[in-house]
Amino acid sequence: MLLKPTFNLSPYILKTLISTKTPSFLLTCSSCLSRSLKPLNPIPQHFYTTVAAARQHQLQMSGKAEKRARRESPSGKLLSLLCRCSRDNNLEEALRLYDDALINNVPLNVEHYNKLLYLCSSSNSDLGLKRGFDIYKQMENGNSDNKVIPNEATFTTMARLAAAKEDPETAFDLVKRMKEGCGISPKLRSYVPALLGFCKKGMADEAYEVDCYMVENGVAAEEDELAMLLRVSFESSRTDKVYEMLQRLRASVRQVSEDTAGLIEDWFRSDGAMGVGVVDWDVGKVRKAVVKGGGGWHGQGWFGMGRWKVTRTEMDETGVCKSCGEKLVCVDIDPLETEDFARSLSTLACQRETRADFLQFQEWLQKHGPFDAVVDGANVGHITQNYFVFNQLKSAVNSTRRLSPSNRLPLVILHSGRVKGQHIGNPNNKTTLQYWKESGALYVTPQGSNDDWYWLYAAISSKCLLVTNDEMRDHLFELLGTSFFPRWKEKHQVRLSVTRDGLKFHMPPPYSVVIQESEQGSWHIPTVIGDDFETRRQWVCANRTKK
């Protein structure tokens, strides 16, 4: 008689089968069967699937039970209460909970300590300063059975506490210990307490040391940090460092905040600025430096003598300063830099999008491109309304075509949902879409995709204009993380507004909206006030005796 396996297994048998250790009675049965019976029928695949699913369910249940046990443990309950204190900014209650935990030998981890230290650093009180250092000392001196290893947040919070005690030296020592002693890479926020503390005390050399340590470890100062260094350089009469910080603002910040603009104005109006500079300079050397740097700066130091004339002004449509009459330049972008950025963008897009879909788009672009312009269809169709207006997009495409030297249609990027919606609607819209498609001027992005990747890559790889009102400030564009993108955007983005006469195109300016240093030694600093779209951008103009 041939035995046939059954698959309606009881829960007990199923649990036994998926256990990590095979029961002895199954080993015995297996041995007997192998001697006396013919081979069984093959076990269907769904049997193994059932066993695997049961095993996975068992693991999930054990994981949930473990998490629940951690939450309900004394340590877990303490962390929950400390989180509530942090949310309510209740330092006194947090310290009471901490003292009780020490008395009752509740195990503490780095999360507990970080919550406590954060509350101490943000309290701006003597109690917070004193207890913060006491808590950190307890954390360092914990017994070997419950050794707590500090992380970046721990060191950064302690640096803030040290700075609050007006002890920037300790704040800087903590950062160095983080890097050199624990192998933890400090973030920009880790350096700020020491840098700010030294700058407030007027300790310029120590502030420069922090800045140098940041550079050595690949941490770039941003506008706030550069403004600190600019101020301490100004106040300590380090004119060479003032010049350096202006050049670094030019390279990394481009347009400055109102606070930074005011600081720069104060410098140029100061007696220190009046007394620095050379009267005779090598014009040929300066010109070569300008060409080598791509235009807009030379880096050769202060030119001219005497008091600076400092004004707030605007540029006209051609980039001529309305105060001094000097014409700003358009700073070049290295073509190799554009190609490198296009490759980086492609890699990132393939990681964020369905890789096969984006590679298919690149192949299509190779066949039909390059284009003179790319239109962000969804954005252009929503310029003035909360709903999509196809005729608005159609008008923008026709106007963009007239910008092309060869009267070529721009590439229109539209999501598949938009195209299907237009097919159902007006038949004239369907005819237009079909015409664009047959002309190789329409690409429909697939369902579930983010069309931003497509129109941005198309414009950058084609080195052409991009028609969109998208400010490109959201998370996607933050991922790009380079200084190249703002420069490219400034030179290639075409924005639109609606007037009584129809759509008005706002072309990229014929000059670069960035801090500029002229061959004659004058300076023009753009601020964030105004955008040349709805209101004219405000500039700081500083000039004096020309050669």
Side-chain angles (χ1 to χ4, degrees), residues 232-361:
V232 76
S233 301
F234 168 20
E235 293 175 349
S236 59
S237 301
R238 300 288 291 272
T239 59
D240 57 332
K241 283 293 187 177
V242 172
Y243 187 82
E244 177 190 331
M245 297 311 154
L246 283 175
Q247 293 291 358
R248 288 172 66 180
L249 283 167
R250 175 196 58 77
S252 61
V253 178
R254 298 177 67 80
Q255 299 101 39
V256 301
S257 67
E258 180 61 22
D259 287 343
T260 305
L263 174 60
I264 293 171
E265 288 173 319
D266 290 343
W267 154 253
F268 279 113
R269 291 191 177 109
S270 70
D271 292 339
M274 181 179 67
V276 65
V278 296
V279 176
D280 295 313
W281 59 88
D282 188 333
V283 174
K285 182 180 179 181
V286 170
R287 196 155 291 161
K288 285 181 181 178
V290 170
V291 173
K292 183 178 179 181
W297 69 287
H298 52 74
Q300 301 298 302
W302 305 109
F303 291 167
M305 289 293 289
R307 191 165 294 281
W308 294 79
K309 179 184 176 183
V310 184
T311 56
R312 285 290 181 105
T313 186
E314 300 173 356
M315 302 296 147
D316 69 11
E317 297 292 339
T318 64
V320 173
C321 176
K322 292 183 178 181
S323 175
C324 69
E326 194 162 275
K327 185 177 176 64
L328 300 187
V329 302
C330 185
V331 180
D332 296 335
I333 292 180
D334 188 340
L336 292 177
E337 198 175 3
T338 304
E339 293 173 8
D340 289 342
F341 187 78
R343 282 192 290 269
S344 299
L345 179 62
S346 172
T347 300
L348 197 56
C350 286
Q351 293 171 355
R352 298 282 168 166
E353 294 288 300
T354 302
R355 179 179 176 83
D357 289 341
F358 199 79
L359 291 177
Q360 183 180 354
F361 169 64

Side-chain angles (χ1 to χ4, degrees), residues 50-68:
T50 303
V51 172
R55 180 62 175 166
Q56 181 65 27
H57 179 70
Q58 186 183 45
L59 291 172
Q60 289 176 350
M61 292 303 293
S62 63
K64 289 179 180 178
E66 187 177 335
K67 288 180 181 178
R68 184 167 56 252

Side-chain angles (χ1 to χ4, degrees), residues 380-446:
V380 171
H382 282 93
I383 289 176
T384 56
Q385 293 85 9
N386 292 326
Y387 54 90
F388 186 81
V389 180
F390 185 81
N391 281 339
Q392 193 164 264
L393 171 60
K394 183 178 177 180
S395 175
V397 169
N398 292 335
S399 297
T400 304
R401 182 176 192 173
R402 288 192 286 272
L403 298 175
S404 170
S406 60
N407 199 37
R408 184 181 181 184
L409 277 169
L411 170 61
V412 182
I413 302 290
L414 270 177
H415 194 272
S416 59
R418 299 284 178 203
V419 173
K420 291 177 182 177
Q422 297 308 317
H423 275 215
I424 296 172
N426 192 322
N428 291 332
N429 296 348
K430 182 176 180 180
T431 302
T432 301
L433 288 168
Q434 188 63 30
Y435 169 63
W436 290 347
K437 185 177 181 180
E438 291 173 356
S439 302
L442 173 67
Y443 193 86
V444 180
T445 60

